[in-house]
Amino acid sequence: MTSDEFCTALKKDRSYPELDRASIDYDSLSALNDKFEIKDKTYEKQYASIYFIRLLHLRPIVLERAQQRWESQPENPQYVPKCLDVQANELCYIIGTVYMDMPLKPNVLKDLSDESSLSLPPAPEKYRSEGSTISLEDESGRVRLIGARLDKELLVTGMIVGVLGKEEPVTGAFEVIEVCYPGLPKQNPLPKASKDKYVAIVSGLNIGDHADADLKIQLMLEYITGELGSSEDQASASSIARVILAGNSLATAVPKPQKGTKKRYGYDAASYDDKPLHRLDALMHELCMTTDVDIMPGAQDPVGIHLPQQPMHRFLFNTAKDYSSFHPVSNPHWCQIDGVKFLGTAGQNIDDIYKYLDDVDRLKMASETLFWQHIAPSAPDTLWCHPFQNHDPFLLNECPHVYFIGNQPQFDTTVLEGENKQKVRVVMVPSFAETGTIALVNVSTLECTSLSFNDQFIKAAHDDNAMDES
């Protein structure tokens, strides 16, 4: 069917092709996702354990890389196991956890002690300022880092790094010459390329907030389900084998004004509008009729805000819950599609890292988290997370093939290549309510394209000569 045949009656003497949606081999990677499950739902414990586990895991990895990089230098710098054992004017390297002391960073104790403040001040866009200081700490203590090199590095509280330099005899600060990171973790080889199959990644539907986005959502739904466009468009849509909703599917809940009623026991469930949830359920119902859907929670969705966020309860979705193609998953989320491993978040980790850095390149920040082998280093300092005692769920023990970040200002993508032939497609997925854009990842080639919807036309913006939309 060509564009001039839209809205015309079907011709009895013409045969129309039947399209089958592309099939894939899917693995939920339970071993990797189990670490995101919160089994001990208590918040009485301290966060010291998560920092200790992080240091214990990454220190030998950083040490091995630092030895390869620095011990061949003419001055033969030596590794000092404890930060406080560094000798003045002696070239050496130490390994520890980065701590950023920033006056603009939220401080709960300061807010509580400031009795004169009647309301909380607005959160700054950036935590970093001229008064910020950087330190490195381990079990022995903390040493302040100085040097022009630090201005060239992306440093965030909670990272594990090695630093080469000397201690200044007057101030006792450690002047940094170079910084060493853990590097990309090991990666399973990519499977051999086969027929083109796509995963559609959508984030930030914000249902209930943007009335003007409803038509874009409907256009997207009809495109994915094969009800929109020409025969070429429908053939392209049939190659979308799975859909991932990467958080913020619902807008922030706003209380409904209640007149003449009293809340019982201080709470009234009817004070919030449930229509957006019913609309999301209807959307999931239609999607799940034609393809499998993974739905991740985000900062605005009806789950706890502490990372890792647990899957949204199935019984929130009255109709979609009955489909085997409906899959509520955690945030972050691992999965494997035709041998290609995906790792994604709803964006809170990058949004928080953005506040630590003067840089504004979010794609670069997301890429760096892979080299740090930790996707959320600022948790639990400024990013809320559960107080795990026996493991750090955000450590990367292996490298994904596709790493996506949801709810970002704009679409962006790049390919990272590591020293051991690792290859990672990094995708910044924009808020659909704001941009009308989704990301399509080709699991056969790791090529990526963005597809935009609005109330006038569908426009494809290509990257790496990917999917051809018209």
Side-chain angles (χ1 to χ4, degrees):
M1 182 183 292
T2 59
S3 58
D4 58 352
E5 294 178 296
F6 288 164
C7 301
T8 59
L10 296 178
K11 298 178 180 179
K12 296 182 179 181
D13 58 345
R14 177 177 174 179
S15 61
Y16 295 91
E18 294 184 3
L19 296 175
D20 294 324
R21 189 170 295 279
S23 60
I24 55 171
D25 293 326
Y26 181 82
D27 188 343
S28 61
L29 299 179
S30 299
L32 293 174
N33 282 316
D34 281 350
K35 64 183 181 179
F36 298 137
E37 182 181 355
I38 298 176
K39 300 175 182 179
D40 182 13
K41 298 182 180 181
T42 175
Y43 291 86
E44 298 175 353
K45 299 176 181 178
Q46 298 295 316
Y47 286 97
S49 295
I50 198 170
Y51 283 117
F52 177 73
I53 292 169
R54 190 179 303 176
L55 179 60
L56 199 65
H57 176 84
L58 290 177
R59 180 160 47 193
I61 298 174
V62 176
L63 178 59
E64 181 181 358
R65 289 179 57 84
Q67 289 172 338
Q68 297 172 354
R69 183 172 176 179
W70 292 329
E71 288 196 349
S72 61
Q73 293 190 4
E75 295 186 49
N76 192 26
Q78 297 298 308
Y79 169 58
V80 178
K82 296 183 179 180
C83 291
L84 297 186
D85 290 343
V86 173
Q87 301 298 315
N89 290 323
E90 183 177 308
L91 185 66
C92 63
Y93 56 95
I94 54 179
I95 298 172
T97 306
V98 173
Y99 177 73
M100 311 280 289
D101 186 8
M102 298 175 289
L104 297 180
K105 186 173 67 175
N107 188 318
V108 175
L109 295 178
K110 181 177 181 298
D111 293 338
L112 291 175
S113 63
D114 190 4
E115 297 180 357
S116 62
S117 178
L118 300 178
S119 61
L120 292 176
E125 182 182 9
K126 297 282 188 179
Y127 296 148
R128 199 161 185 171
S129 62
E130 293 183 359
S132 301
T133 60
I134 305 174
S135 302
L136 195 73
E137 64 178 26
D138 60 11
E139 303 95 325
S140 66
R142 181 182 297 177
V143 59
R144 188 165 65 93
L145 303 181
I146 60 172
R149 181 68 190 183
L150 298 177
D151 295 331
K152 302 178 182 178
E153 303 291 336
L154 301 183
L155 297 176
V156 175
T157 290
M159 295 169 51
I160 308 299
V161 299
V163 291
L164 174 70
K166 296 180 180 180
E167 181 184 289
E168 278 197 345
V170 178
T171 63
F174 192 85
E175 185 174 4
V176 177
I177 300 174
E178 285 188 40
V179 180
C180 180
Y181 303 98
L184 286 178
K186 62 182 180 180
Q187 183 186 62
N188 293 334
L190 277 168
K192 293 182 179 180
S194 58
K195 181 180 177 181
D196 288 343
K197 301 174 186 178
Y198 292 84
V199 174
I201 308 176
V202 189
S203 70
L205 294 177
N206 285 351
I207 294 176
D209 185 27
H210 293 73
D212 56 347
D214 291 348
L215 181 54
K216 291 186 289 187
I217 292 175
Q218 187 64 30
L219 286 172
M220 177 197 67
L221 172 64
E222 293 182 3
Y223 175 80
I224 293 176
T225 56
E227 301 173 15
L228 179 71
S230 65
S231 56
E232 290 81 6
D233 295 318
Q234 294 168 352
S236 296
S238 69
S239 64
I240 298 175
R242 201 174 189 91
V243 177
I244 299 176
L245 299 184
N248 287 358
S249 298
L250 293 170
T252 303
V254 178
K256 293 192 302 183
Q258 299 287 325
K259 295 182 180 180
T261 59
K262 294 182 179 180
K263 293 184 178 181
R264 292 174 294 178
Y265 308 109
Y267 176 75
D268 185 0
S271 63
Y272 288 90
D273 189 0
D274 60 355
K275 291 181 181 178
L277 183 58
H278 290 307
R279 288 163 55 193
L280 176 61
D281 180 36
L283 171 66
M284 296 299 297
H285 172 75
E286 292 195 49
L287 275 176
C288 291
M289 290 175 65
T290 62
T291 186
D292 283 87
V293 181
D294 293 343
I295 179 168
M296 299 168 56
Q300 301 170 181
D301 294 318
V303 295
I305 61 175
H306 292 79
L307 293 181
Q309 289 182 293
Q310 302 304 284
M312 287 191 279
H313 204 289
R314 294 185 68 89
F315 285 91
L316 290 172
F317 302 87
N318 291 329
T319 57
K321 71 178 188 297
D322 297 325
Y323 286 92
S324 61
S325 54
F326 175 61
H327 309 279
V329 297
S330 63
N331 169 34
H333 171 55
W334 280 94
C335 66
Q336 180 172 285
I337 300 173
D338 275 0
V340 176
K341 288 188 176 180
F342 284 68
L343 170 62
T345 77
Q348 296 101 314
N349 57 331
I350 301 304
D351 292 343
D352 200 59
I353 291 172
Y354 175 83
K355 298 178 181 180
Y356 278 81
L357 306 172
D358 294 328
D359 202 332
V360 295
D361 188 346
R362 289 171 176 260
L363 180 63
K364 182 179 180 182
M365 297 173 196
S367 302
E368 289 297 316
T369 61
L370 297 176
F371 289 96
W372 302 341
Q373 292 194 23
H374 201 284
I375 59 174
S378 60
D381 185 40
T382 53
L383 184 62
W384 290 6
C385 78
H386 187 80
F388 292 93
Q389 299 299 301
N390 301 316
H391 73 289
D392 182 350
F394 310 114
L395 285 167
L396 284 179
N397 296 317
E398 63 177 285
C399 192
H401 300 110
V402 178
Y403 179 42
F404 63 88
I405 308 294
N407 300 289
Q408 297 304 294
Q410 61 186 20
F411 172 81
D412 206 353
T413 184
T414 189
V415 173
L416 302 180
E417 295 185 358
E419 299 173 349
N420 298 315
K421 298 183 179 181
Q422 301 101 320
K423 183 180 179 181
V424 188
R425 166 66 68 176
V426 183
V427 185
M428 310 302 285
V429 186
S431 168
F432 187 84
E434 300 291 340
T435 65
T437 300
I438 68 175
L440 297 172
V441 178
N442 188 325
V443 295
S444 300
T445 63
L446 294 192
E447 293 174 344
C448 183
T449 186
S450 65
L451 183 64
S452 298
F453 300 82
N454 61 35
D455 56 358
Q456 295 180 348
F457 56 88
I458 303 177
K459 176 180 64 177
H462 295 279
D463 175 63
D464 297 337
N465 295 320
M467 194 174 184
D468 184 15
E469 303 291 350
S470 58

